[in-house]
PDB file of all heavy atoms in Angstrom:
ATOM      1  N   LEU A 106     -12.378 -19.020 -74.236  1.00  0.00           N
ATOM      2  CA  LEU A 106     -13.006 -19.326 -75.515  1.00  0.00           C
ATOM      3  C   LEU A 106     -11.956 -19.781 -76.509  1.00  0.00           C
ATOM      4  O   LEU A 106     -10.863 -19.222 -76.569  1.00  0.00           O
ATOM      5  CB  LEU A 106     -13.730 -18.080 -76.038  1.00  0.00           C
ATOM      6  CG  LEU A 106     -14.357 -18.155 -77.418  1.00  0.00           C
ATOM      7  CD1 LEU A 106     -15.527 -19.126 -77.416  1.00  0.00           C
ATOM      8  CD2 LEU A 106     -14.826 -16.761 -77.845  1.00  0.00           C
ATOM      9  N   HIS A 107     -12.313 -20.804 -77.299  1.00  0.00           N
ATOM     10  CA  HIS A 107     -11.419 -21.327 -78.334  1.00  0.00           C
ATOM     11  C   HIS A 107     -12.209 -21.457 -79.632  1.00  0.00           C
ATOM     12  O   HIS A 107     -13.321 -21.989 -79.638  1.00  0.00           O
ATOM     13  CB  HIS A 107     -10.851 -22.698 -77.933  1.00  0.00           C
ATOM     14  CG  HIS A 107     -10.360 -22.760 -76.525  1.00  0.00           C
ATOM     15  ND1 HIS A 107      -9.080 -22.408 -76.161  1.00  0.00           N
ATOM     16  CD2 HIS A 107     -10.991 -23.139 -75.381  1.00  0.00           C
ATOM     17  CE1 HIS A 107      -8.934 -22.564 -74.858  1.00  0.00           C
ATOM     18  NE2 HIS A 107     -10.076 -23.005 -74.363  1.00  0.00           N
ATOM     19  N   ILE A 108     -11.631 -20.981 -80.730  1.00  0.00           N
ATOM     20  CA  ILE A 108     -12.245 -21.102 -82.049  1.00  0.00           C
ATOM     21  C   ILE A 108     -11.268 -21.831 -82.960  1.00  0.00           C
ATOM     22  O   ILE A 108     -10.088 -21.458 -83.049  1.00  0.00           O
ATOM     23  CB  ILE A 108     -12.588 -19.725 -82.642  1.00  0.00           C
ATOM     24  CG1 ILE A 108     -13.564 -18.973 -81.732  1.00  0.00           C
ATOM     25  CG2 ILE A 108     -13.190 -19.882 -84.038  1.00  0.00           C
ATOM     26  CD1 ILE A 108     -13.878 -17.570 -82.217  1.00  0.00           C
ATOM     27  N   ALA A 109     -11.761 -22.855 -83.624  1.00  0.00           N
ATOM     28  CA  ALA A 109     -10.927 -23.647 -84.535  1.00  0.00           C
ATOM     29  C   ALA A 109     -11.468 -23.529 -85.958  1.00  0.00           C
ATOM     30  O   ALA A 109     -12.682 -23.433 -86.175  1.00  0.00           O
ATOM     31  CB  ALA A 109     -10.909 -25.111 -84.102  1.00  0.00           C
ATOM     32  N   THR A 110     -10.570 -23.538 -86.923  1.00  0.00           N
ATOM     33  CA  THR A 110     -10.936 -23.470 -88.332  1.00  0.00           C
ATOM     34  C   THR A 110     -10.155 -24.521 -89.094  1.00  0.00           C
ATOM     35  O   THR A 110      -9.242 -25.151 -88.564  1.00  0.00           O
ATOM     36  CB  THR A 110     -10.620 -22.076 -88.923  1.00  0.00           C
ATOM     37  OG1 THR A 110      -9.202 -21.866 -88.847  1.00  0.00           O
ATOM     38  CG2 THR A 110     -11.338 -20.977 -88.164  1.00  0.00           C
ATOM     39  N   GLY A 111     -10.533 -24.689 -90.352  1.00  0.00           N
ATOM     40  CA  GLY A 111      -9.831 -25.653 -91.176  1.00  0.00           C
ATOM     41  C   GLY A 111      -9.231 -25.008 -92.409  1.00  0.00           C
ATOM     42  O   GLY A 111      -9.555 -23.870 -92.768  1.00  0.00           O
ATOM     43  N   GLY A 112      -8.352 -25.706 -93.069  1.00  0.00           N
ATOM     44  CA  GLY A 112      -7.764 -25.228 -94.317  1.00  0.00           C
ATOM     45  C   GLY A 112      -6.915 -23.989 -94.132  1.00  0.00           C
ATOM     46  O   GLY A 112      -6.095 -23.888 -93.228  1.00  0.00           O
ATOM     47  N   ASP A 113      -7.154 -22.997 -94.984  1.00  0.00           N
ATOM     48  CA  ASP A 113      -6.323 -21.793 -94.998  1.00  0.00           C
ATOM     49  C   ASP A 113      -6.985 -20.644 -94.223  1.00  0.00           C
ATOM     50  O   ASP A 113      -6.691 -19.484 -94.479  1.00  0.00           O
ATOM     51  CB  ASP A 113      -6.055 -21.357 -96.437  1.00  0.00           C
ATOM     52  CG  ASP A 113      -7.352 -21.062 -97.190  1.00  0.00           C
ATOM     53  OD1 ASP A 113      -8.426 -21.397 -96.654  1.00  0.00           O
ATOM     54  OD2 ASP A 113      -7.271 -20.492 -98.285  1.00  0.00           O
ATOM     55  N   THR A 114      -7.875 -20.953 -93.325  1.00  0.00           N
ATOM     56  CA  THR A 114      -8.630 -19.903 -92.628  1.00  0.00           C
ATOM     57  C   THR A 114      -8.158 -19.745 -91.193  1.00  0.00           C
ATOM     58  O   THR A 114      -8.926 -19.395 -90.310  1.00  0.00           O
ATOM     59  CB  THR A 114     -10.138 -20.234 -92.629  1.00  0.00           C
ATOM     60  OG1 THR A 114     -10.331 -21.482 -91.958  1.00  0.00           O
ATOM     61  CG2 THR A 114     -10.662 -20.333 -94.045  1.00  0.00           C
ATOM     62  N   SER A 115      -6.873 -20.002 -90.940  1.00  0.00           N
ATOM     63  CA  SER A 115      -6.367 -19.954 -89.568  1.00  0.00           C
ATOM     64  C   SER A 115      -6.408 -18.560 -88.972  1.00  0.00           C
ATOM     65  O   SER A 115      -6.257 -18.384 -87.773  1.00  0.00           O
ATOM     66  CB  SER A 115      -4.926 -20.484 -89.522  1.00  0.00           C
ATOM     67  OG  SER A 115      -4.096 -19.723 -90.392  1.00  0.00           O
ATOM     68  N   GLY A 116      -6.616 -17.539 -89.809  1.00  0.00           N
ATOM     69  CA  GLY A 116      -6.711 -16.180 -89.298  1.00  0.00           C
ATOM     70  C   GLY A 116      -7.902 -15.958 -88.389  1.00  0.00           C
ATOM     71  O   GLY A 116      -7.920 -15.007 -87.611  1.00  0.00           O
ATOM     72  N   TYR A 117      -8.896 -16.827 -88.480  1.00  0.00           N
ATOM     73  CA  TYR A 117     -10.066 -16.715 -87.608  1.00  0.00           C
ATOM     74  C   TYR A 117      -9.915 -17.528 -86.318  1.00  0.00           C
ATOM     75  O   TYR A 117     -10.734 -17.413 -85.416  1.00  0.00           O
ATOM     76  CB  TYR A 117     -11.326 -17.195 -88.340  1.00  0.00           C
ATOM     77  CG  TYR A 117     -11.726 -16.315 -89.493  1.00  0.00           C
ATOM     78  CD1 TYR A 117     -11.502 -16.716 -90.809  1.00  0.00           C
ATOM     79  CD2 TYR A 117     -12.323 -15.085 -89.269  1.00  0.00           C
ATOM     80  CE1 TYR A 117     -11.879 -15.917 -91.876  1.00  0.00           C
ATOM     81  CE2 TYR A 117     -12.703 -14.272 -90.330  1.00  0.00           C
ATOM     82  CZ  TYR A 117     -12.483 -14.697 -91.637  1.00  0.00           C
ATOM     83  OH  TYR A 117     -12.842 -13.899 -92.688  1.00  0.00           O
ATOM     84  N   ALA A 118      -8.898 -18.368 -86.255  1.00  0.00           N
ATOM     85  CA  ALA A 118      -8.719 -19.241 -85.101  1.00  0.00           C
ATOM     86  C   ALA A 118      -8.239 -18.444 -83.892  1.00  0.00           C
ATOM     87  O   ALA A 118      -7.546 -17.441 -84.016  1.00  0.00           O
ATOM     88  CB  ALA A 118      -7.729 -20.354 -85.427  1.00  0.00           C
ATOM     89  N   ALA A 119      -8.622 -18.925 -82.707  1.00  0.00           N
ATOM     90  CA  ALA A 119      -8.204 -18.275 -81.458  1.00  0.00           C
ATOM     91  C   ALA A 119      -8.157 -19.319 -80.354  1.00  0.00           C
ATOM     92  O   ALA A 119      -8.953 -20.266 -80.338  1.00  0.00           O
ATOM     93  CB  ALA A 119      -9.172 -17.154 -81.094  1.00  0.00           C
ATOM     94  N   ARG A 120      -7.223 -19.123 -79.417  1.00  0.00           N
ATOM     95  CA  ARG A 120      -7.100 -20.038 -78.292  1.00  0.00           C
ATOM     96  C   ARG A 120      -6.928 -19.240 -77.006  1.00  0.00           C
ATOM     97  O   ARG A 120      -6.276 -18.194 -76.976  1.00  0.00           O
ATOM     98  CB  ARG A 120      -5.908 -20.988 -78.467  1.00  0.00           C
ATOM     99  CG  ARG A 120      -6.080 -21.992 -79.595  1.00  0.00           C
ATOM    100  CD  ARG A 120      -4.965 -23.023 -79.569  1.00  0.00           C
ATOM    101  NE  ARG A 120      -4.925 -23.758 -78.311  1.00  0.00           N
ATOM    102  CZ  ARG A 120      -5.696 -24.808 -78.037  1.00  0.00           C
ATOM    103  NH1 ARG A 120      -6.575 -25.229 -78.922  1.00  0.00           N
ATOM    104  NH2 ARG A 120      -5.584 -25.433 -76.878  1.00  0.00           N
ATOM    105  N   ASN A 121      -7.560 -19.767 -75.943  1.00  0.00           N
ATOM    106  CA  ASN A 121      -7.420 -19.196 -74.602  1.00  0.00           C
ATOM    107  C   ASN A 121      -7.797 -17.716 -74.550  1.00  0.00           C
ATOM    108  O   ASN A 121      -7.172 -16.920 -73.843  1.00  0.00           O
ATOM    109  CB  ASN A 121      -5.993 -19.387 -74.079  1.00  0.00           C
ATOM    110  CG  ASN A 121      -5.593 -20.848 -74.017  1.00  0.00           C
ATOM    111  OD1 ASN A 121      -6.393 -21.710 -73.687  1.00  0.00           O
ATOM    112  ND2 ASN A 121      -4.337 -21.124 -74.350  1.00  0.00           N
ATOM    113  N   ALA A 122      -8.828 -17.344 -75.289  1.00  0.00           N
ATOM    114  CA  ALA A 122      -9.308 -15.961 -75.250  1.00  0.00           C
ATOM    115  C   ALA A 122     -10.273 -15.794 -74.079  1.00  0.00           C
ATOM    116  O   ALA A 122     -11.183 -16.613 -73.889  1.00  0.00           O
ATOM    117  CB  ALA A 122     -10.003 -15.604 -76.561  1.00  0.00           C
ATOM    118  N   THR A 123     -10.091 -14.760 -73.300  1.00  0.00           N
ATOM    119  CA  THR A 123     -10.981 -14.498 -72.169  1.00  0.00           C
ATOM    120  C   THR A 123     -12.323 -13.977 -72.679  1.00  0.00           C
ATOM    121  O   THR A 123     -12.379 -13.108 -73.555  1.00  0.00           O
ATOM    122  CB  THR A 123     -10.360 -13.459 -71.220  1.00  0.00           C
ATOM    123  OG1 THR A 123      -9.110 -13.949 -70.746  1.00  0.00           O
ATOM    124  CG2 THR A 123     -11.274 -13.199 -70.035  1.00  0.00           C
ATOM    125  N   CYS A 124     -13.402 -14.520 -72.144  1.00  0.00           N
ATOM    126  CA  CYS A 124     -14.731 -14.105 -72.574  1.00  0.00           C
ATOM    127  C   CYS A 124     -15.634 -13.867 -71.364  1.00  0.00           C
ATOM    128  O   CYS A 124     -15.396 -14.397 -70.277  1.00  0.00           O
ATOM    129  CB  CYS A 124     -15.361 -15.154 -73.496  1.00  0.00           C
ATOM    130  SG  CYS A 124     -15.771 -16.715 -72.686  1.00  0.00           S
ATOM    131  N   ALA A 125     -16.626 -13.046 -71.566  1.00  0.00           N
ATOM    132  CA  ALA A 125     -17.665 -12.816 -70.565  1.00  0.00           C
ATOM    133  C   ALA A 125     -18.884 -13.647 -70.946  1.00  0.00           C
ATOM    134  O   ALA A 125     -19.090 -13.961 -72.124  1.00  0.00           O
ATOM    135  CB  ALA A 125     -18.018 -11.341 -70.483  1.00  0.00           C
ATOM    136  N   ALA A 126     -19.691 -14.006 -69.950  1.00  0.00           N
ATOM    137  CA  ALA A 126     -20.843 -14.862 -70.210  1.00  0.00           C
ATOM    138  C   ALA A 126     -22.033 -14.428 -69.367  1.00  0.00           C
ATOM    139  O   ALA A 126     -21.888 -14.034 -68.217  1.00  0.00           O
ATOM    140  CB  ALA A 126     -20.495 -16.322 -69.914  1.00  0.00           C
ATOM    141  N   VAL A 127     -23.212 -14.514 -69.972  1.00  0.00           N
ATOM    142  CA  VAL A 127     -24.482 -14.300 -69.275  1.00  0.00           C
ATOM    143  C   VAL A 127     -25.296 -15.565 -69.419  1.00  0.00           C
ATOM    144  O   VAL A 127     -25.348 -16.172 -70.502  1.00  0.00           O
ATOM    145  CB  VAL A 127     -25.247 -13.094 -69.858  1.00  0.00           C
ATOM    146  CG1 VAL A 127     -26.625 -12.976 -69.217  1.00  0.00           C
ATOM    147  CG2 VAL A 127     -24.468 -11.813 -69.648  1.00  0.00           C
ATOM    148  N   ARG A 128     -25.940 -15.981 -68.326  1.00  0.00           N
ATOM    149  CA  ARG A 128     -26.655 -17.260 -68.315  1.00  0.00           C
ATOM    150  C   ARG A 128     -28.061 -17.072 -67.772  1.00  0.00           C
ATOM    151  O   ARG A 128     -28.261 -16.449 -66.733  1.00  0.00           O
ATOM    152  CB  ARG A 128     -25.906 -18.265 -67.446  1.00  0.00           C
ATOM    153  CG  ARG A 128     -26.468 -19.667 -67.419  1.00  0.00           C
ATOM    154  CD  ARG A 128     -25.688 -20.519 -66.433  1.00  0.00           C
ATOM    155  NE  ARG A 128     -25.949 -21.929 -66.570  1.00  0.00           N
ATOM    156  CZ  ARG A 128     -26.971 -22.563 -66.012  1.00  0.00           C
ATOM    157  NH1 ARG A 128     -27.835 -21.889 -65.265  1.00  0.00           N
ATOM    158  NH2 ARG A 128     -27.136 -23.858 -66.181  1.00  0.00           N
ATOM    159  N   PHE A 129     -29.056 -17.623 -68.472  1.00  0.00           N
ATOM    160  CA  PHE A 129     -30.436 -17.643 -67.993  1.00  0.00           C
ATOM    161  C   PHE A 129     -31.001 -19.045 -68.213  1.00  0.00           C
ATOM    162  O   PHE A 129     -30.763 -19.647 -69.263  1.00  0.00           O
ATOM    163  CB  PHE A 129     -31.299 -16.622 -68.734  1.00  0.00           C
ATOM    164  CG  PHE A 129     -32.767 -16.764 -68.441  1.00  0.00           C
ATOM    165  CD1 PHE A 129     -33.294 -16.294 -67.251  1.00  0.00           C
ATOM    166  CD2 PHE A 129     -33.610 -17.385 -69.345  1.00  0.00           C
ATOM    167  CE1 PHE A 129     -34.642 -16.436 -66.968  1.00  0.00           C
ATOM    168  CE2 PHE A 129     -34.965 -17.532 -69.078  1.00  0.00           C
ATOM    169  CZ  PHE A 129     -35.481 -17.063 -67.878  1.00  0.00           C
ATOM    170  N   ALA A 130     -31.722 -19.549 -67.240  1.00  0.00           N
ATOM    171  CA  ALA A 130     -32.289 -20.891 -67.371  1.00  0.00           C
ATOM    172  C   ALA A 130     -33.519 -21.019 -66.489  1.00  0.00           C
ATOM    173  O   ALA A 130     -33.667 -20.314 -65.489  1.00  0.00           O
ATOM    174  CB  ALA A 130     -31.253 -21.957 -66.988  1.00  0.00           C
TER     175      ALA A 130
END
Side-chain angles (χ1 to χ4, degrees):
L106 175 67
H107 314 273
I108 300 176
T110 63
D113 59 349
T114 60
S115 58
Y117 293 105
R120 292 189 59 83
N121 301 322
T123 301
C124 68
V127 174
R128 184 184 194 276
F129 170 77

